[in-house]
Amino acid sequence: MNKIHVLIPLWKAIVQITHLMYNILGGRTHNILGEFAEHIVADALKGKLQPPSNKAFDILLSDGKTVQVKARKLSGKYRYSETLSDFHSWNFDILIVVLFNDDGTLKQVLQMDSKLARTFIHPRKKSGQADIITLSKKFVNAANDITSCFSAYKI
């Protein structure tokens, strides 16, 4: 049998599940991984999710601190080389990076002050490009590992 016949129902299932998650998560963005991570972090920290139009931060905490959430699903060959999505603003207090294993389980949750996070920006060749950070071993070691705060989620 041609493998395309096996792939078509799987593709349809992926699309249906993605639409379902999009609707359950409130239809804020189509980045399901990032959106899921933001909801988990907001719930764990008892923070308030901000509208997607707020590019500066994703969550407002009760003490007034602001949180930017970045998420990555790491491939099986992850060797500290994955980059986080672009940073369009640095007007936040705390960076939280949620790392998922390739099978969707939670690998690690890292927390870092935004000032420290900025020291890990890679220089961009063209001016006006958004900032990026690579998940280097140095970055991971400099962050606070707060994975234990998310153990109740059984992900």
Side-chain angles (χ1 to χ4, degrees):
M1 181 199 304
N2 186 336
K3 69 180 174 183
I4 195 71
H5 298 293
V6 174
L7 294 174
I8 290 170
L10 293 174
W11 172 249
K12 288 181 178 182
I14 288 169
V15 170
Q16 289 174 342
I17 290 169
T18 301
H19 283 299
L20 181 60
M21 285 191 73
Y22 173 81
N23 290 329
I24 291 171
L25 293 171
R28 295 165 25 100
T29 73
H30 286 282
N31 174 2
I32 297 300
L33 179 69
E35 189 70 23
F36 182 56
E38 289 173 12
H39 279 263
I40 293 167
V41 172
D43 189 70
L45 301 181
K46 312 263 186 278
K48 183 177 181 193
L49 280 169
Q50 298 302 290
S53 59
N54 184 354
K55 299 298 180 195
F57 56 92
D58 301 309
I59 299 167
L60 178 63
L61 300 178
S62 60
D63 63 2
K65 288 189 178 178
T66 55
V67 178
Q68 176 64 253
V69 177
K70 298 292 183 184
R72 290 291 299 185
K73 185 171 68 107
L74 304 172
S75 65
K77 52 187 172 183
Y78 168 64
R79 298 283 187 268
Y80 299 109
S81 61
E82 303 279 349
T83 58
L84 299 175
S85 61
D86 293 352
F87 289 83
H88 297 283
S89 168
W90 286 93
N91 293 327
F92 61 89
D93 301 307
I94 301 164
L95 170 64
I96 294 186
V97 179
V98 182
L99 302 175
F100 293 95
N101 290 308
D102 203 25
D103 65 358
T105 57
L106 189 64
K107 178 179 180 67
Q108 196 171 23
V109 183
L110 303 170
Q111 179 180 328
M112 183 181 286
D113 177 271
S114 66
K115 289 182 177 105
L116 179 57
R118 283 188 88 161
T119 67
F120 290 94
I121 294 172
H122 282 285
R124 301 302 292 260
K125 292 182 178 164
K126 295 180 184 175
S127 63
Q129 287 183 316
D131 296 327
I132 60 166
I133 291 176
T134 298
L135 294 174
S136 65
K137 192 170 189 175
K138 188 175 177 183
F139 175 88
V140 172
N141 289 338
N144 296 320
D145 188 329
I146 60 168
T147 310
S148 62
C149 298
F150 295 81
S151 61
Y153 295 97
K154 311 261 189 257
I155 301 171

